[in-house]
Amino acid sequence: MTDGNSSETRFNIQQVQETAINALCGLGLRHEDAIDVADILVAADLLGIRTHGIKRIISYGERVAVKGINPRPQISLEQLAPTIARLNGDNAMGPLIGQKALKSSLEMAGQYGLGATFVNGSNHFGPVMPYAFRAAEQGFASFICSNATTTIAPTGGKAARFGNNPLGFGIPAPDGNHVMLDIALSTVARARIRDARDKGESIPESWATDANGRPTTNPNEALEGLLQPVGGHKGYGLALIVDLLSGLLSNAAYLTHVKAWDKQPDQPQNLGHFFLVIDTRGLGSTDWLTQRMHDFSDILHSTPAANPDHPVMLPGERELRNHRQQMRDGLLYDDATYASIRRLAEGG
């Protein structure tokens, strides 16, 4: 049905899942693999992370078409220790590899209390939060991260060496009000700088540097330069650690060895990920965790707000609200975008 605006239509979740699965099968994925990929992309939309939802099927499909992504991978898992595994994704679609890595870590943690899976041979795996949400729903805490195409210079440098490496944490709450943090490590996305340029506005010096590595307020200079890491040298340090965990230790590409998917779409990126999960059930009873999580959130929610229109929220709270609302009401999509995905689903 059309929802007010004729250019957008609301669909129930089952419709969206079926369309996404069929579109992925149209790209050559096995049906069971398409289910795993669609699960992450639809979850991203439900959480309100629309830049990483089913619209990504289109860009993933472009790389499949030029053989930059393998639609029929032979993913392999090497058990290195009872609680440590390494997964080779065989250049598969990233969310499929992410699902396999999460499952591996959950299985180890379910048996031993802790599970860590290092991943290589991957591609863009979507946002972190859907994985953290899946783990939290089963009572597991998580730390998940990935490296990415280089866009950030190390502190003091003027050439890109790190990606906008995403990382995230999830802490489960038995009542479903999980705490989930999902961040990338640049101060802002490049799209924010383009918006400022288009509006003729200046930007804060903390957003980007010019081509010579000097902070700039000119968006045109910034677009020729580099993104600044969040928190200056602290963001640089976090990006470095993420690349060590998900790239170097995972036996994946790291730093400038990572291929740029937009410049070399036909080349495997060999991205790396790191999935660490902890079974919180080994730490205490459900009642124990429920009481402590309630008290923790109550202390934060009771903080006097600097602006009454914007009360204090916990990380993930807004996304969980989106998820509940859209599970009930369905997902709204731009007609042109959804039509492109539906054409793939119909073999067009």
Side-chain angles (χ1 to χ4, degrees), residues 44-347:
D45 280 337
L46 286 167
L47 290 163
I49 312 170
R50 303 305 287 266
T51 54
H52 290 58
I54 65 169
K55 67 186 295 184
R56 284 279 176 167
I57 293 173
I58 299 169
S59 58
Y60 291 168
E62 291 169 351
R63 291 200 61 218
V64 169
V66 296
K67 304 188 185 308
I69 288 178
N70 181 4
R72 296 263 173 165
Q74 298 299 319
I75 297 172
S76 58
L77 184 72
E78 181 184 8
Q79 199 69 43
L80 303 175
T83 59
I84 304 174
R86 184 159 53 211
L87 186 147
N88 180 280
D90 193 26
N91 197 35
M93 211 166 274
L96 171 61
I97 298 170
Q99 288 271 50
K100 301 290 188 187
L102 179 62
K103 179 181 177 183
S104 163
S105 295
L106 289 172
E107 287 178 350
M108 289 185 285
Q111 186 170 359
Y112 298 107
L114 189 79
T117 302
F118 295 83
V119 179
N120 58 57
S122 190
N123 292 285
H124 180 272
F125 75 160
V128 169
M129 195 171 289
Y131 302 105
F133 177 68
R134 293 285 180 262
E137 287 284 275
Q138 298 176 61
F140 294 84
S142 62
F143 168 58
I144 300 166
C145 61
S146 174
N147 61 7
T149 302
T150 55
T151 54
I152 297 173
T155 298
K158 62 176 186 178
R161 292 294 182 265
F162 294 101
N164 197 0
N165 298 345
L167 62 87
F169 297 86
I171 307 297
D175 65 359
N177 291 311
H178 316 303
V179 175
M180 300 180 295
L181 177 69
D182 181 352
I183 61 172
L185 293 178
S186 65
T187 302
V188 297
R190 197 172 290 274
R192 293 276 300 277
I193 300 173
R194 285 194 292 267
D195 287 344
R197 176 201 60 190
D198 295 343
K199 295 175 182 175
E201 298 173 349
S202 61
I203 61 172
E205 282 193 347
S206 60
W207 282 16
T209 69
D210 62 18
N212 292 311
R214 296 185 295 256
T216 182
T217 60
N218 185 321
N220 291 300
E221 292 180 354
L223 291 170
E224 295 296 322
L226 298 162
L227 296 175
Q228 293 240 54
V230 62
H233 69 280
K234 297 177 183 179
Y236 158 49
L238 285 172
L240 183 149
I241 294 298
V242 168
D243 214 345
L244 286 171
L245 283 169
S246 59
L248 188 141
L249 293 181
S250 293
N251 203 33
Y254 52 86
L255 301 178
T256 54
H257 296 308
V258 175
K259 296 287 196 304
W261 69 267
D262 55 337
K263 296 174 183 174
Q264 300 164 294
D266 60 332
Q267 297 295 309
Q269 283 193 282
N270 191 18
L271 287 188
H273 318 311
F274 176 66
F275 285 73
L276 173 67
V277 301
I278 301 166
D279 189 352
T280 60
R281 293 168 296 189
L283 300 173
S285 68
T286 298
D287 288 344
W288 168 83
L289 184 57
T290 298
Q291 187 276 323
R292 291 180 68 82
M293 288 296 285
H294 279 173
D295 183 55
F296 191 94
S297 61
D298 287 347
I299 291 171
L300 290 170
H301 284 145
S302 66
T303 307
N307 181 342
D309 294 331
H310 299 283
V312 172
M313 300 178 72
L314 278 68
E317 189 171 343
R318 183 179 290 106
E319 288 82 0
L320 285 171
R321 188 177 299 163
N322 290 334
H323 192 278
R324 290 163 185 152
Q325 177 187 339
Q326 294 183 128
M327 283 293 291
R328 182 185 68 243
D329 300 337
L331 282 160
L332 194 64
Y333 289 102
D334 167 78
D335 286 343
T337 301
Y338 200 85
S340 296
I341 299 167
R342 181 176 278 162
R343 279 195 294 273
L344 289 173
E346 294 171 350

